[in-house]
Amino acid sequence: MAVGDYPFPEMPAIAGVAIGVAAAGIKKPGRNDVLLFALADKGCAAGVFTKNAFCAAPVTICREHLGAEKTRYLVINSGNANACTGEQGRVDALTVCSAVATAGGAQTAQVLPFSTGVIGEPLPVGKIEAVIPALFDSLQESNWEAAARAIMTTDTRPKGATRQVDIEGVTVTVNGISKGAGMINPNMATMLGFIATDAAVEQAALQGIVREAAGLSFNRITIDGDTSTNDACVIMASAEAGNPVISDTRSAAFESLKQAVTEVCTELAQMIVADGEGATKFVTVDVTGGASHDECLKVAYAVAHSPLIKTALFASDPNWGRIVAAIGYAGVEDLDPTTVTVHLNDVLIVKNGGRASSYTEAQGQAVMSGDRIGIYIDLGRGDCRELLWTTDLSYEYVRINADYRT
Amino acid sequence: MAVGDYPFPEMPAIAGVAIGVAAAGIKKPGRNDVLLFALADKGCAAGVFTKNAFCAAPVTICREHLGAEKTRYLVINSGNANACTGEQGRVDALTVCSAVATAGGAQTAQVLPFSTGVIGEPLPVGKIEAVIPALFDSLQESNWEAAARAIMTTDTRPKGATRQVDIEGVTVTVNGISKGAGMINPNMATMLGFIATDAAVEQAALQGIVREAAGLSFNRITIDGDTSTNDACVIMASAEAGNPVISDTRSAAFESLKQAVTEVCTELAQMIVADGEGATKFVTVDVTGGASHDECLKVAYAVAHSPLIKTALFASDPNWGRIVAAIGYAGVEDLDPTTVTVHLNDVLIVKNGGRASSYTEAQGQAVMSGDRIGIYIDLGRGDCRELLWTTDLSYEYVRINADYRT
């Protein structure tokens, strides 16, 4: 189940970013489940990672390696998260890095490891090591769809997005792939995003771009409120496009590249929501009129996480009372119900603390019957605004998550 | 669907608290859906109410009436919550109070109104007024089971509990009924609780008792994280038992009565969880070793609200990785994963940041196959403790909440 139709786009090759895939048999035999990115020597990488205190071994190692050496390789496996695996998990992830480094003629700290899948099972290091030659043999700059497929877990479709932008007379390309599905919540969910560009960017500027872009995209989506131990969004810049190196974060070139990366990340984030586990609706929760960003977010999360609202969305039931109840318990101090308005798409449903007099059930039903629903809440007490994207809660969500390990 | 077996107990009459029920046809024809408590003249009442900013008209009126006059009557309807009904909702609730007051020879402010059911629909005042004579005609001190049935919404069974306690040589009785099911979360959910005792208690002391008892019982349960607009727990004390009036909140008599009320409320709260919408498991989340109560609660709620954990519970899947992930994203500052231990009942599953070496899947499976599961989390960084009761997330929960209005 998934909302809408997102065919995988035509993605141009990015010079200086080669991709290899292989089937290590971690989850199912014959399915590509290991992915290798090889980044040109003169390139660099930057990333943002989960804030989960139980972050997985590969996340810790990514942070360390990004700070220590210029990144040359990213190695990603699906099927096993190498999370909550203690000291052995760290040893295992480093073993994989070391094997990739050896095969690629690099230092271990030039390799970033990523894992997604079941938590708490030992990483099958031997299986991954065994396919490293195949990964290197299959390196190609055109392998984007294969890459997107190799990182899928409960995703029903591969996710990719691409943009081109002119930077000081040079055409620069930005590609991205992601995986998501369950355990999706801001601050990086069981979400992996890999972005690549051929632009020349200094590492500090690249870090600024990925932080801002992720904040406006991946950190705005929530499916079940669970923030995973493994989330990561990494960007690679190969410096092959020939643009003057971007280093000034106040420059037009920086803004242009950031905009393109944000668009790619937003598209990928929305694809993750649309392909959320069991999703039948794509829901935008847009809260305006707040006295602070914090209170807007509180309301947006209360609405986006309410199982009662999510089941009503699944049922296409314009049960606006549940929306109002969620606004009421979100924890906004001294909220005056009479200043709050709520629209479902363009239909005014709540005003003056109750149902809008103009509202009819038929109007609400018409909105809810669609698969793209906007819940627009104005708190009427300030100028702040926050926005989230989420899904409904269906039988299928329960089935997927009740069956995941079986 | 519901966990365990809770036959309605034998509940003794409480002298000075009479109960009438009637079928007003609010939801289904022929089913009792209106309830009247009539409290002896010398008695008093006290209560705690939802903190939802969109609290329903009856909640606002209860607060006002409790502060203004000695309570004589409680009138409760199921099937319609009279919530988010604006100024008309207030007029409607007061109209019902006034009609009860007229029939009972009291002031309007001596009547407390309660409503539970669908949000946002106008209260069918005429239907309720029409059965007021029947409510008064049926007043009996023995009507407890009928009362418990009259307030049910999606509950599958009536909920009642009773205790007797000796207070200064006098046997005092405490009875309670409740309704719950969905939209259950601390600070009073779509939860109504009515407690009655024949003890003589001053109103201020009675308020202290209900606040403390609710804090240890109804405010410890969470099914879906949604706090309703209508929650209320009210206690009536008829002063018919003949005990010396309890006024000193440091007295042994106060403690004894509070203990009995807390036990009744705890039993009722646990019955609400066991009868949670679609519940197949009764789950205790017990967090110890916190540096503060606040961080213990954060962890307990993160675990109790995680849809991934709740679906794993439904599947009887010992997916402890999801528990660890929830602890990790709960927002405990500087949490050191290596000090955290997690038990499922008496089975140690997590230690030193990973799966306990002694743990076997068979052990976890044995615990999860039962319908009473304890998740015991020790943060290993202090002496604070907090505890919640919750349920799993099943297909049935989705079905009930997707169909509620149809």
Side-chain angles (χ1 to χ4, degrees):
Chain A
M1 219 178 318
V3 184
D5 192 29
Y6 291 86
F8 199 82
E10 283 295 326
M11 286 176 61
I14 304 259
V17 179
I19 299 170
V21 293
I26 298 173
K27 205 175 168 189
K28 288 179 191 161
R31 178 188 176 281
N32 285 335
D33 49 14
V34 187
L35 168 64
L36 181 73
F37 282 104
L39 176 61
D41 211 8
K42 61 181 171 183
C44 65
V48 289
F49 301 93
T50 183
K51 291 180 179 166
N52 195 305
F54 276 89
C55 70
V59 169
T60 310
I61 294 169
C62 274
R63 287 198 181 104
E64 292 167 8
H65 286 191
L66 271 173
E69 292 283 348
K70 269 191 84 164
T71 300
R72 290 287 312 284
Y73 296 101
L74 278 58
V75 58
I76 305 118
N77 73 273
S78 56
N80 181 304
N82 192 16
C84 308
T85 42
E87 185 55 28
Q88 189 58 46
R90 184 177 168 81
V91 171
D92 290 346
L94 284 170
T95 303
V96 171
C97 290
S98 168
V100 169
T102 302
Q107 303 297 311
T108 298
Q110 291 185 296
V111 182
L112 305 182
F114 305 83
S115 295
T116 177
V118 177
I119 295 178
E121 303 290 335
L123 189 70
V125 175
K127 288 183 177 178
I128 298 172
E129 284 181 315
V131 298
I132 288 177
L135 289 170
F136 278 91
D137 287 348
S138 64
L139 281 172
Q140 283 188 51
E141 292 175 352
S142 57
N143 257 346
W144 283 94
E145 182 166 353
R149 290 187 183 278
I151 59 175
M152 289 165 64
T153 53
T154 52
D155 306 69
T156 69
R157 52 200 181 197
K159 299 168 183 69
T162 184
R163 288 288 185 285
Q164 289 194 319
V165 60
D166 183 285
I167 292 184
E168 302 188 64
V170 176
T171 296
V172 159
T173 303
V174 178
N175 280 358
I177 59 170
S178 69
K179 61 90 36 183
M183 216 188 250
I184 296 297
N185 195 45
N187 300 318
M188 307 285 103
T190 302
M191 209 284 309
L192 294 176
F194 298 102
I195 317 296
T197 177
D198 49 3
V201 196
E202 276 195 358
Q203 212 253 347
L206 196 62
Q207 181 63 40
I209 285 172
V210 71
R211 190 186 306 111
E212 286 195 48
L216 293 170
S217 57
F218 297 119
N219 282 345
R220 303 253 151 204
I221 64 178
T222 179
I223 290 173
D224 48 25
D226 283 70
T227 305
S228 116
T229 51
N230 291 59
D231 312 322
C233 175
V234 168
I235 185 166
M236 297 161 269
S238 68
E240 292 281 356
N243 64 299
V245 179
I246 299 171
S247 57
D248 182 355
T249 58
R250 291 156 307 179
S251 65
F254 178 88
E255 274 307 318
S256 298
L257 183 61
K258 191 180 79 179
Q259 179 62 33
V261 172
T262 301
E263 285 177 24
V264 165
C265 289
T266 301
E267 213 175 293
L268 292 172
Q270 294 188 347
M271 284 176 188
I272 288 172
V273 171
D275 194 24
E277 286 172 348
T280 74
K281 308 278 183 181
F282 181 94
V283 184
T284 301
V285 183
D286 188 346
V287 180
T288 54
S292 69
H293 288 279
D294 182 58
E295 70 182 35
C296 293
L297 268 183
K298 275 184 182 166
V299 170
Y301 278 122
V303 170
H305 288 167
S306 160
L308 287 171
I309 294 174
K310 290 169 103 74
T311 46
L313 286 162
F314 170 55
S316 300
D317 173 7
N319 194 319
W320 56 272
R322 295 181 182 176
I323 298 172
V324 162
I327 298 168
Y329 69 69
V332 176
E333 209 149 333
D334 301 324
L335 179 65
D336 177 359
T338 66
T339 68
V340 176
T341 60
V342 181
H343 286 78
L344 281 181
N345 290 355
D346 55 352
V347 175
L348 176 67
I349 56 172
V350 172
K351 199 177 175 175
N352 292 327
R355 180 166 51 185
S357 54
S358 58
Y359 174 73
T360 65
E361 192 86 357
Q363 290 178 316
Q365 194 58 61
V367 172
M368 295 296 273
S369 301
D371 64 5
R372 295 192 173 256
I373 297 166
I375 302 175
Y376 298 95
I377 298 162
D378 193 297
L379 299 177
R381 49 192 256 141
D383 295 322
C384 294
R385 175 182 184 180
E386 290 287 345
L387 181 148
L388 294 176
W389 299 297
T390 190
T391 61
D392 57 334
L393 172 58
S394 67
Y395 294 117
E396 190 66 6
Y397 177 89
V398 177
R399 192 194 62 72
I400 292 169
N401 285 298
D403 288 353
Y404 186 55
R405 300 205 313 173
T406 57
Chain B
M1 218 178 319
V3 184
D5 193 28
Y6 291 86
F8 199 82
E10 283 296 326
M11 287 176 60
I14 303 260
V17 178
I19 299 170
V21 292
I26 298 173
K27 205 175 168 190
K28 288 179 191 161
R31 176 187 176 283
N32 285 335
D33 49 14
V34 188
L35 168 65
L36 181 72
F37 282 104
L39 176 61
D41 211 8
K42 60 181 171 181
C44 65
V48 288
F49 300 93
T50 183
K51 291 180 178 166
N52 195 306
F54 276 89
C55 69
V59 169
T60 310
I61 294 169
C62 273
R63 287 198 182 103
E64 293 168 7
H65 286 192
L66 270 173
E69 292 282 350
K70 269 191 86 164
T71 301
R72 290 288 313 284
Y73 296 101
L74 277 59
V75 57
I76 304 117
N77 73 273
S78 56
N80 182 305
N82 192 15
C84 308
T85 42
E87 185 54 28
Q88 188 59 46
R90 184 178 167 81
V91 171
D92 290 345
L94 284 170
T95 303
V96 171
C97 290
S98 167
V100 168
T102 301
Q107 304 298 312
T108 298
Q110 292 184 296
V111 182
L112 306 183
F114 304 84
S115 295
T116 177
V118 177
I119 295 177
E121 303 290 334
L123 189 71
V125 176
K127 288 183 178 179
I128 298 172
E129 284 181 315
V131 298
I132 288 176
L135 289 171
F136 277 91
D137 287 347
S138 63
L139 282 173
Q140 283 188 51
E141 291 175 354
S142 58
N143 257 347
W144 283 95
E145 183 166 352
R149 290 188 182 278
I151 59 176
M152 289 166 63
T153 52
T154 52
D155 305 69
T156 69
R157 51 198 182 199
K159 299 169 183 68
T162 184
R163 287 287 187 285
Q164 290 194 317
V165 60
D166 183 283
I167 291 184
E168 301 188 66
V170 176
T171 297
V172 158
T173 302
V174 178
N175 280 358
I177 58 170
S178 69
K179 61 93 31 185
M183 216 188 250
I184 295 297
N185 195 44
N187 301 316
M188 306 287 102
T190 304
M191 209 286 307
L192 294 177
F194 298 101
I195 318 294
T197 176
D198 50 3
V201 196
E202 277 195 358
Q203 213 252 348
L206 196 63
Q207 181 63 41
I209 285 173
V210 71
R211 190 186 304 113
E212 286 196 48
L216 293 170
S217 57
F218 296 120
N219 282 346
R220 303 251 151 205
I221 63 178
T222 178
I223 290 174
D224 48 24
D226 284 69
T227 305
S228 117
T229 51
N230 291 60
D231 312 323
C233 175
V234 168
I235 184 165
M236 297 162 268
S238 68
E240 293 281 356
N243 64 300
V245 178
I246 299 171
S247 57
D248 181 356
T249 58
R250 292 157 306 178
S251 65
F254 178 87
E255 274 306 317
S256 298
L257 183 62
K258 191 180 79 178
Q259 179 63 31
V261 172
T262 301
E263 286 177 24
V264 165
C265 289
T266 301
E267 212 174 294
L268 292 172
Q270 294 189 349
M271 285 175 188
I272 288 173
V273 170
D275 194 25
E277 286 171 348
T280 75
K281 308 278 184 182
F282 180 95
V283 183
T284 301
V285 183
D286 188 347
V287 180
T288 53
S292 69
H293 288 280
D294 182 57
E295 70 182 35
C296 292
L297 268 183
K298 275 184 183 167
V299 170
Y301 279 122
V303 170
H305 288 167
S306 161
L308 287 171
I309 294 174
K310 290 169 103 74
T311 47
L313 285 162
F314 169 55
S316 300
D317 174 5
N319 194 321
W320 57 271
R322 294 181 182 175
I323 298 172
V324 162
I327 298 168
Y329 68 69
V332 176
E333 210 150 331
D334 301 322
L335 179 65
D336 176 359
T338 66
T339 69
V340 176
T341 60
V342 181
H343 286 78
L344 283 181
N345 291 356
D346 56 352
V347 175
L348 176 69
I349 56 171
V350 172
K351 198 176 175 177
N352 291 327
R355 179 166 53 184
S357 54
S358 57
Y359 174 72
T360 64
E361 192 86 357
Q363 290 177 315
Q365 193 58 62
V367 172
M368 294 297 275
S369 301
D371 63 5
R372 296 192 173 256
I373 297 165
I375 302 175
Y376 298 95
I377 298 161
D378 193 296
L379 300 177
R381 49 191 255 142
D383 295 321
C384 294
R385 176 182 184 178
E386 289 287 345
L387 181 148
L388 295 175
W389 298 296
T390 190
T391 61
D392 57 334
L393 172 58
S394 66
Y395 294 115
E396 189 66 7
Y397 178 89
V398 177
R399 192 194 62 73
I400 292 170
N401 286 297
D403 288 353
Y404 186 56
R405 300 206 313 173
T406 58

